[in-house]
């Protein structure tokens, strides 16, 4: 355990939650590494996420896992209180806030750079006021009409994800003549709306939305086209971790690999994404991913120390 936190179960504290001591210099977006791909750790404070639903649904468990990722080297911790898997039910904003705000505050206090994974302006606003430094919005072209002005007002980096429809409808909308060009066109259309509302272009990060209104074939085409996405002038985030298309790829004896069996494939995608210019990868397994992106950087001659 890092010196910022006392080991659980020691001293006068009996809670499994580490005692968090504030740091003098928290991580900032501006100080993120520029010589390798950034690693964003996934923290689902939900009972129903596709990979680890329920595992970190309590505040104590979520904070403890967020700290583990932070001390394992995650550059960003992405905190979300609403599952975005296909078919997931919407969560009231009040419940989402109850799930995420205590976690955001605790991780910021420990020095982590936190992004808030939300489609709701009120959650984004309160999380940023609590110290979150990035908004990660996967709503795609169904963004809340209040989000562009809010993102401009808050002035923090905004991750714009490609998605059609909602969690309930997006699978039925995975129809493209040319998935790469159509995804780019739809991303840029939303991008232009946010820029017109006052969001600085340099604050916009693009996520092609793997798995959101995409088949497995679409996901692979987009991954093979990271250079095309990177040419748009924005940072690119790749979020492939443990997703369904990897489970399908690893089918054995007619059974797709379950999420827990997809980490090795995720590592391969992360290394290849890093080698092909991804600004960041969003993953469940932080430590090995950090190793993988460092290898990709050294291979490219950028981080061979």
């Amino acid at each position: 355990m890092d010196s910022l936190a006392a080991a659980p179960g020691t001293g006068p504290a009996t809670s499994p939650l580490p005692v968090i001591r504030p740091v003098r210099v928290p991580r900032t977006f501006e100080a993120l590494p520029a010589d390798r791909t950034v690693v964003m750790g996934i923290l689902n404070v939900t009972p129903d996420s596709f990979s680890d639903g329920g595992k970190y649904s309590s505040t104590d468990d979520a904070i403890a896992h967020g700290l583990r990722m932070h001390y394992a080297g995650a550059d960003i911790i992405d905190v979300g209180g609403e599952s975005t898997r296909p078919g997931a039910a919407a969560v009231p904003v009040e419940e989402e806030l109850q799930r995420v705000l205590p976690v955001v505050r605790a991780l910021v206090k420990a020095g982590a750079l936190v992004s808030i994974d939300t489609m709701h302006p009120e959650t984004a606003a309160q999380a940023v006021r609590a110290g979150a430094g990035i908004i990660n919005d996967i709503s795609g072209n169904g963004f809340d009409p209040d989000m562009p002005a809010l993102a401009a007002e808050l002035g923090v980096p905004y991750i714009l994800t490609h998605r059609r429809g909602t969690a309930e409808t997006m699978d039925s909308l995975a129809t493209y003549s040319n998935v790469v060009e159509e995804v780019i066109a739809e991303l840029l259309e939303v991008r232009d709306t946010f820029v017109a509302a006052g969001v600085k272009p340099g604050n916009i990060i693009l996520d092609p939305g793997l798995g959101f209104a995409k088949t497995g074939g679409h996901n692979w085409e987009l991954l093979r086209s990271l250079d095309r996405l990177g040419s748009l002038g924005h940072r690119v985030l790749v979020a492939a971790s443990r997703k369904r298309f990897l489970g399908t790829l690893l089918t054995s004896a007619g059974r797709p690999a379950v999420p827990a069996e997809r980490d090795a494939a995720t590592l391969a995608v992360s290394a290849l994404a890093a080698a092909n210019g991804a600004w960041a990868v969003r993953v469940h397994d932080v430590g090995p991913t950090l190793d993988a992106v460092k290898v990709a950087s050294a291979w490219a001659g950028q981080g061979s120390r």
Side-chain angles (χ1 to χ4, degrees):
M1 180 68 70
D2 188 281
S3 61
L4 296 175
T10 62
T14 57
S15 167
L17 180 62
V19 177
I20 302 170
R21 302 188 182 96
V23 295
R24 291 181 182 274
V25 184
R27 292 183 182 174
T28 64
F29 186 85
E30 292 73 21
L32 287 171
D35 61 344
R36 63 165 172 82
T37 294
V38 167
V39 175
M40 174 187 282
I42 299 169
L43 183 53
N44 296 315
V45 193
T46 61
D48 58 345
S49 292
F50 81 94
S51 174
D52 53 12
K55 197 170 182 181
Y56 311 115
S57 58
S58 77
T59 298
D60 281 9
D61 288 341
I63 293 172
H65 185 57
L67 289 173
R68 285 193 293 271
M69 290 193 289
H70 177 52
Y71 299 140
D75 300 299
I76 305 167
I77 308 294
D78 190 43
V79 178
E82 180 177 21
S83 176
T84 55
R85 62 177 172 78
V91 173
V93 171
E94 296 77 11
E95 183 175 350
E96 183 185 35
L97 286 166
Q98 289 174 1
R99 292 176 179 181
V100 301
L101 285 182
V103 180
V104 170
R105 292 190 185 103
L107 296 179
V108 169
K109 181 179 178 181
L113 174 58
V114 173
S115 62
I116 180 65
D117 180 358
T118 185
M119 297 180 284
H120 306 294
E122 180 63 22
T123 301
Q126 291 204 36
V128 170
R129 293 181 190 123
I134 303 169
I135 300 169
N136 181 14
D137 182 359
I138 61 88
S139 57
N141 60 11
F143 63 88
D144 188 292
D146 292 333
M147 190 65 90
L150 176 70
E153 176 189 340
L154 295 175
V156 299
Y158 177 86
I159 300 171
L160 191 167
T161 303
H162 179 272
R163 187 178 78 161
R164 293 174 174 175
T166 65
E168 292 85 359
T169 64
M170 61 184 177
D171 278 355
S172 66
L173 300 174
T175 303
Y176 304 87
S177 297
N178 184 320
V179 66
V180 174
E181 295 306 318
E182 289 177 56
V183 164
I184 287 173
E186 291 169 26
L187 279 171
L188 293 181
E189 182 178 1
V190 178
R191 187 274 313 268
D192 290 346
T193 299
F194 277 75
V195 171
V199 178
K200 296 177 181 177
N203 273 352
I204 293 177
I205 298 159
L206 300 181
D207 177 347
L210 303 178
F212 295 137
K214 318 283 189 312
T215 65
H218 295 146
N219 295 332
W220 291 116
E221 286 188 59
L222 287 163
L223 286 170
R224 287 191 291 266
S225 301
L226 287 181
D227 58 341
R228 177 80 175 87
L229 289 161
S231 72
L232 302 176
H234 298 277
R235 299 174 179 90
V236 176
L237 170 70
V238 171
S241 189
R242 297 181 182 173
K243 287 193 173 178
R244 181 172 53 184
F245 76 107
L246 297 179
T248 301
L249 175 72
L250 303 177
T251 295
S252 177
R255 181 186 72 91
V258 298
E261 299 170 345
R262 302 171 190 171
D263 280 343
T266 300
L267 280 174
V269 171
S270 295
L272 289 166
N276 284 275
W279 165 74
V281 290
R282 181 179 181 273
V283 299
H284 295 85
D285 197 7
V286 165
T289 302
L290 188 59
D291 292 346
V293 300
K294 286 179 177 178
V295 168
S297 178
W299 192 296
Q302 296 174 336
S304 56
R305 290 182 296 172

